[in-house]
Amino acid sequence: MLTTLTHHVLCLIIIITIFVPLISSTYMNSCRSFCGNITIDYPFALGYGCGHPGFKDLLHCINNVLMFHISSGSYRVLDIDYAYQALTLQEPNMSTCDTLVLGGQGNGFTVEPWRAPYMNPAPENVFMLIGCSAMSPLFQGFPGKHLPCKNVSGMGCEEYYGCRAWDGLGHNRLGSGYFGSGPPVCCAVPYEAIKSINLTKLECEGYSSAYSLAPIRLNGPSSWAYGIRVKFWVKESEEFCGACEATGGACGYGLDGIKQICMCGNSNSTSNCDSVSLSSKTRPMIVEIIAGTYCPFWFDLY
C-alpha cells in the first residue's frame, strides 16, 4: 500500500507534468521576448512564425544588441514605442551635429516595396542630404524654383549649417553652396518627397537624419534627436490579433509565411483560442480526476 509520502510525490508529478504546462500554454505569450532592455512584441518577433508576416526576418538580436535589417542595410534599434507605433534607428555612417560622414558611405533608408505598406519613416523625420551632385535627381530642372529642399518639422539645412561638424570644413569644400550658382551643399527633404534615401542613386556624399517628438521649436540643431524614426502599422490585422490575444493566444503566421494564425499552446487556430478550447478544457478535468484519486488533499488547495 502506498505511503503518504508517495501520495504527495505522485501529486507533485501530476501538477508539474500536466497542470503547469497547461497554465503556460494558455496564459503566456510564447512569442514575446527581449533583446537587451528592449521588449520584442507583436507585430515584431525574433523567432520565425511569431509576429506579423510583414515584419518577418526584420529584427535580429546580436550580443544583446537589437538590429533592424532591410535591403538598404542594418541599423541599430534604439527604441520601440508600441503606443505610438514607431521605432528609432541608428545608422553608424549617418552624419550628426558633431560629425560629418562623407564619401557616400551611409546606407540611407530604402525599404523593400512589399514592406512599404507596413513601415516608412515618420512625417516628422527630416533627411538632410549633403554634397549632392548637380546631376542628382534631386535637382533636375534646377535652377527652377521647384526644388524638393524644405524645412521639415521646423528643422532644415540652414540650422544644420550651424553645427560644429561643419567647422573647418566650409561649404565650398563640397562645391557651391547657394541656390544662385548651383545646388545647395545641404538639401533637407521629407521622406515622402523622394520615397527612398539611396545615396548612390541620389549622387550624394552623405546624409543626416533628425526627428522631433514635440510640437515646440527646439533650441538649435545641437538639441535635435538624430536617428531615423520609422512608423509601423498593421491595421488590417488588428481585429484578428486582438481576438487572438484576448483568448490567451499569440499572433503569428503559418509555414507559407503569409497567412496569419493564432498560436494557442500546442495548437493553432485561424481565428482565436476559443475555437480550440475543447481539448484544453478537458485537461483540467483529467487533472481533477487523477488528483482526486491520488491526492485527497488536492481539493483543499484547488
Side-chain angles (χ1 to χ4, degrees):
M1 190 169 182
L2 295 177
T3 65
T4 301
L5 178 61
T6 304
H7 279 161
H8 289 189
V9 170
L10 287 173
C11 183
L12 287 174
I13 292 174
I14 292 169
I15 294 173
I16 293 172
T17 60
I18 300 179
F19 193 61
V20 172
L22 173 65
I23 295 174
S24 61
S25 66
T26 303
Y27 297 105
M28 293 183 65
N29 187 337
S30 58
C31 287
R32 184 179 291 113
S33 57
F34 298 87
C35 182
N37 62 349
I38 299 178
T39 301
I40 315 299
D41 207 346
Y42 186 87
F44 301 102
L46 293 176
Y48 187 86
C50 290
H52 187 279
F55 297 80
K56 63 183 178 182
D57 303 324
L58 190 65
L59 297 183
H60 305 272
C61 189
I62 304 173
N63 296 326
N64 279 329
V65 174
L66 188 61
M67 301 298 294
F68 174 99
H69 183 75
I70 53 175
S71 60
S72 57
S74 294
Y75 310 78
R76 180 172 181 171
V77 180
L78 302 180
D79 175 67
I80 301 179
D81 190 330
Y82 293 97
Y84 290 93
Q85 295 185 301
L87 66 160
T88 305
L89 308 178
Q90 180 186 58
E91 206 265 279
N93 293 314
M94 184 185 77
S95 296
T96 64
C97 200
D98 297 322
T99 307
L100 289 183
V101 181
L102 306 178
Q105 300 178 55
N107 291 331
F109 192 89
T110 302
V111 69
E112 299 92 329
W114 71 271
R115 288 198 197 270
Y118 304 109
M119 68 188 76
N120 268 311
E124 63 270 16
N125 213 120
V126 57
F127 288 91
M128 291 167 287
L129 300 162
I130 303 170
C132 302
S133 163
M135 300 305 294
S136 169
L138 285 171
F139 307 127
Q140 295 307 304
F142 183 85
K145 296 182 179 180
H146 302 291
L147 293 174
C149 308
K150 60 185 291 186
N151 279 12
V152 180
S153 299
M155 299 178 292
C157 288
E158 289 305 316
E159 294 86 358
Y160 187 55
Y161 285 141
C163 284
R164 64 180 182 180
W166 295 90
D167 294 348
L169 182 66
H171 297 182
N172 291 333
R173 181 172 173 179
L174 294 173
S176 58
Y178 302 96
F179 285 86
S181 58
V185 173
C186 174
C187 179
V189 296
Y191 187 80
E192 292 80 1
I194 52 180
K195 299 297 184 184
S196 175
I197 306 298
N198 185 317
L199 298 188
T200 301
K201 290 183 178 180
L202 294 174
E203 300 181 30
C204 300
E205 286 290 309
Y207 82 106
S208 183
S209 176
Y211 60 91
S212 173
L213 299 181
I216 59 175
R217 185 174 180 82
L218 298 173
N219 186 27
S222 60
S223 63
W224 294 352
Y226 289 88
I228 303 175
R229 183 83 168 171
V230 177
K231 290 286 289 181
F232 61 87
W233 49 88
V234 285
K235 293 182 179 179
E236 78 285 356
S237 64
E238 285 180 353
E239 184 177 348
F240 172 86
C241 190
C244 172
E245 292 185 341
T247 55
C251 305
Y253 53 90
L255 294 177
D256 60 0
I258 300 174
K259 187 175 181 179
Q260 286 191 276
I261 60 172
C262 182
M263 294 180 282
C264 310
N266 296 324
S267 303
N268 295 331
S269 170
T270 56
S271 55
N272 57 64
C273 292
D274 284 345
S275 64
V276 293
S277 62
L278 180 61
S279 60
S280 65
K281 286 180 179 179
T282 59
R283 292 175 67 183
M285 293 174 61
I286 295 174
V287 172
E288 286 194 16
I289 293 173
I290 298 177
T293 303
Y294 294 104
C295 310
F297 64 90
W298 163 261
F299 293 102
D300 294 330
L301 300 176
Y302 186 60

